[in-house]
Each structure stands twice: as structure tokens, then as C-alpha cells.
Amino acid sequence: MVAAFEDGKLKFLAGEEKSREAVLALPLSRLLLKMVKVREGEDPVAAAAPVLAAMSPYPDEPLTVSCEEVQPQVYIAAALPESATEDIAAALDAAKVEITAIDALVFGEIRALWDELGAEGRKLVLLRGVEGVSLLVLDGGVPVAIRALDGNSDLKREVFLSLLEAEDFGGVKPLSEIVVRGEVDVSALERLAPVRRLAARGDILDGALKGIRDRAAEAGTLNVLPESWRQMLEDSRFKRKLCRGLAVAGAVWALAMATLLGVPAAYGWMTDYQKGLSKAHQREYRQVVQMRDKVKLVRKYSDHARGALEIMKAVSDRLPQGIELNSWNFKREEGVRVSGEGTGNEAIYRFKDNMAEMAEEDGQEPIFPTVSLKGPSAVKGGKYKFDLDCTYETEDE
């Protein structure tokens, strides 16, 4: 069984028989993913692990890295931070589904669109999904650059970075065409290559999930299932086998005891047996509760959602063209103050609006309720100086 997790919901392949175990497909925005090139004889997982760790928003968390070879000595490396999977785990628990492997949904989409994409030349592929845009550069159908774009990404900048990455992994080649599926504004890219839009199809998710099912049957494909999830899967399988064995053994034994000693004796033995199991389960339960409390405590003090690096990245992502920052002052409990210069007032006010609109993940409340701009004031060289204060408290507070 295969399933996809998009927009906070589990979606299963239509018409497929339900089972306890499934292969899960996730959008690119959920994964840490990077193309890596290794030397001959070098372990790709060992080479990719520090690269992905540097990208992770949870630097203290160990990653389970998976690599898929696309060319000799060129791999797609990916990992899934376990700290970012709470909503996924909750949805799986609600559906009573256990995961045997986790893959990137975009690779199933590529398989579903293979006949329409074609395998000639270097192509830039932009696929609109529920949680953003998947950007791929394909050389003869082989990925040489992959990245996920959200609503705040500069499409032109990301495309140029991907083309540079493609040249690094696949050499210098002309871009033959740009293939687009879904609502993606590519007007800024039309000079790079001809644009071809794929017709909208309602069954694209089912096609992608079929591609993921086929990939799961092949050796060497990505599987970013965290190590703790693997262990839980093995334990669950063992317990199911043990329960089936105990059920059969218990039935045979109960029948024999009922035959030899009668129903009262068999009933007394079964009662004692269940009491022993209950005591064992109580000890295990206490251990699980203690471990869960420790994990909650560690996660509480490892929250980097409003750390300096996360806020610096958010500010950098919202920096308009023509703005240059000169100073940065971050206080975790208060907010951030930045100072800089701009080539025009319009860019400075747009930067202020971008910071004021920056919201939490649910998109409901702004991260900085109060954003105050001091300036702009003209300085030498035709530039304008400004100071921007972004605080976690409202003006009333």
C-alpha cells in the first residue's frame, strides 16, 4: 500500500486494498535533499551526512541519510528530520498505518509524466504541488539538480542556482526547454528556453503514487525512514508474530487443560497468566512514560524555531533587491533590529512590509506583531539609511 502526506492529510492510492503497512511519499519541502558527488570508492552516505546536517533546522538531531545513485559517483542524498514529523506521525496513528519506507513524491510524479516529458536534452521542470513548487533539472531524464520552492522563493534566482548546480554535475549543456505543470509564473524565464505547459490532469496524484509503488519494488531507491521508525516497525512486526503464536499456543494449551483438568483449572491458569502479562506491561509502560517525558524535555530546550539562525534566514529570504544590511542585533526574547542602506525608498518600505507579513507556520499570526521603521534618510552616494525594529510584542504590550 502507498500513501502521500500533503497539506496535513494522508491520501491513499484509489482502489488499493488497505493494509497495516504502507510506503509513504512526502513533498520535497518536507525533506532535506541535495545532489552529491563522491570520489571513487567513497561511501556516499558518509559524504552526504555532513552536507545534510548543515542544512537541517535541528542541528543536534542525528539524521538517517539515504542515497540513490543517478550517475556514476553522483547521488541524490536525502534525510527526514524526526523532529519535523509530529503531524505525520499523528496522521499515521489515526489511520493505524505503519510505514516501511519513505520516498520523495516528486520522483513518482516524474514517472507518471515520463511520456510527456521526454528524455532528450537538458530540461528545466517546474511542478506545482499542494505545498509549493518542485524544481528539477533533467539531463536525458536523469536529475542533476533538485530543490523545493515555497511561495517566498525568488523563482529566477533559484532557477539560475539550479542551472549552475546542473553544470557542476552534468557539464555545460544548452537548456532545450522549460516544462511546467500547474500555475507557475515563468514570464521571467522565457528567454532561457521555450516554455511547454503540460495539460492539467485530475489523476496526477494516483499516477505519482503508482510511480512510488514501482520505485519501492526496486533496489537502491531512496528510503529516508528514520532509524527510530525502523525500530518501531521491527518491534511491531515481532509483537504481531508473537501474539499470533501465543494465541495459537494458548488455544491449544487451554483445550488440553480443559480436557485434562476441567474448565475451572484452565480458567485459573489463564487468570494467573494474564496477571503476569499485566505486571510486565506495567513496567514497560512506566519506562515508555519516562522516556517520553525525557524526549519532551529535550525537544522543549532544543526548539530553534525562533533561534538566531532561523530568524537570520527568514530576514535574508525577505530581503528585496537593492537592500544591503550593515548590522544585526538579535535578542531571543525580544526580537531583532537590523540596520542597512537601500538604493531607494520603495525597496526599504517593501522590506518593512515583508517582515510585518512574516507569519508562523499556520499562517494565522505574524511572528513580529510590531515592525518599526526609522528612516529612510539620505546618505552619500544616492543611498538611504534606515533602522528596522521587529519585536515579538504588540505596541500595546
Side-chain angles (χ1 to χ4, degrees):
M1 186 171 72
V2 292
F5 185 83
E6 288 186 312
D7 198 25
K9 299 177 182 178
L10 275 177
K11 303 174 184 177
F12 297 90
L13 179 61
E16 191 175 34
E17 183 178 353
K18 300 296 183 181
S19 65
R20 291 181 59 92
E21 297 181 352
V23 176
L24 183 64
L26 296 178
L28 278 183
S29 58
R30 286 279 182 165
L31 304 175
L32 301 174
L33 189 143
K34 187 72 175 176
M35 302 292 299
V36 294
K37 185 183 295 184
V38 301
R39 297 185 297 271
E40 185 174 358
E42 185 180 12
D43 182 10
V45 173
V51 178
L52 296 180
M55 299 168 55
S56 176
Y58 309 96
D60 297 329
E61 177 181 316
L63 298 174
T64 303
V65 178
S66 176
C67 293
E68 178 177 339
E69 186 176 23
V70 295
Q71 293 180 11
Q73 298 177 250
V74 176
Y75 292 81
I76 301 172
L80 175 63
E82 188 174 352
S83 296
T85 61
E86 292 184 358
D87 55 342
I88 302 175
L92 293 172
D93 290 342
K96 297 182 179 180
V97 174
E98 297 173 348
I99 299 303
T100 60
I102 299 178
D103 201 353
L105 182 62
V106 67
F107 296 130
E109 296 179 51
I110 292 297
R111 287 211 176 189
L113 299 171
W114 187 255
D115 293 339
E116 297 178 74
L117 291 176
E120 303 81 20
R122 175 167 290 175
K123 303 176 186 291
L124 172 64
V125 181
L126 299 170
L127 305 177
R128 166 64 69 180
V130 176
E131 297 188 7
V133 176
S134 298
L135 186 157
L136 300 93
V137 181
L138 305 179
D139 268 353
V142 177
V144 289
I146 308 172
R147 65 183 60 208
L149 309 180
D150 58 24
N152 296 320
S153 299
D154 185 340
L155 178 60
K156 189 174 181 179
R157 175 179 178 274
E158 297 295 336
V159 166
F160 278 112
L161 290 176
S162 298
L163 293 177
L164 290 174
E165 184 180 359
E167 290 183 1
D168 183 36
F169 288 94
V172 179
K173 297 178 183 178
L175 188 63
S176 62
E177 66 174 347
I178 301 173
V179 183
V180 182
R181 192 205 71 206
E183 295 297 324
V184 183
D185 183 9
V186 293
S187 57
L189 309 176
E190 293 176 347
R191 294 184 179 182
L192 298 178
V195 177
R196 176 165 61 95
R197 288 190 175 272
L198 302 180
R201 292 167 48 192
D203 61 341
I204 188 63
L205 180 59
D206 280 353
L209 289 178
K210 290 178 182 177
I212 294 297
R213 182 181 58 189
D214 294 340
R215 281 173 53 82
E218 300 171 0
T221 55
L222 284 179
N223 180 8
V224 297
L225 189 70
E227 185 59 35
S228 62
W229 289 31
R230 297 175 193 266
Q231 187 61 46
M232 285 189 293
L233 176 64
E234 293 175 1
D235 292 346
S236 178
R237 287 174 172 175
F238 174 78
K239 289 178 181 178
R240 288 201 297 270
K241 290 180 181 179
L242 181 61
C243 288
R244 286 194 294 267
L246 288 176
V248 174
V252 173
W253 182 257
L255 180 61
M257 292 299 293
T259 303
L260 294 175
L261 304 176
V263 174
Y267 180 78
W269 177 87
M270 293 176 66
T271 301
D272 294 338
Y273 177 73
Q274 291 298 327
K275 287 181 178 179
L277 286 179
S278 178
K279 291 180 180 179
H281 289 165
Q282 288 178 357
R283 290 192 297 270
E284 294 176 357
Y285 175 77
R286 286 193 295 269
Q287 293 174 357
V288 170
V289 170
Q290 293 173 358
M291 180 59 68
R292 184 178 61 185
D293 292 341
K294 292 179 181 178
V295 170
K296 287 182 178 179
L297 184 63
V298 171
R299 287 181 175 175
K300 176 181 178 181
Y301 289 99
S302 301
D303 182 19
H304 300 283
R306 290 191 177 182
L309 291 179
E310 196 69 16
I311 295 299
M312 180 178 290
K313 179 180 182 301
V315 173
S316 299
D317 289 345
R318 289 159 177 81
L319 202 62
Q321 189 71 25
I323 296 294
E324 180 180 348
L325 298 183
N326 298 328
S327 67
W328 160 277
N329 185 8
F330 173 78
K331 295 183 179 179
R332 184 177 183 90
E333 301 299 328
E334 298 179 12
V336 63
R337 176 188 178 92
V338 295
S339 300
E341 295 179 350
T343 56
N345 292 343
E346 182 180 351
I348 294 174
Y349 285 111
R350 185 162 65 252
F351 179 42
K352 174 183 179 293
D353 293 339
N354 290 346
M355 295 302 298
E357 294 170 0
M358 185 168 63
E360 302 280 5
E361 289 183 348
D362 57 11
Q364 299 297 323
E365 297 293 337
I367 291 181
F368 298 113
T370 302
V371 178
S372 303
L373 175 64
K374 182 180 179 182
S377 58
V379 295
K380 294 181 180 180
K383 294 185 177 182
Y384 294 84
K385 182 180 179 182
F386 69 93
D387 296 311
L388 191 66
D389 286 317
C390 306
T391 62
Y392 295 128
E393 297 181 351
T394 64
E395 292 182 353
D396 293 338
E397 291 172 331

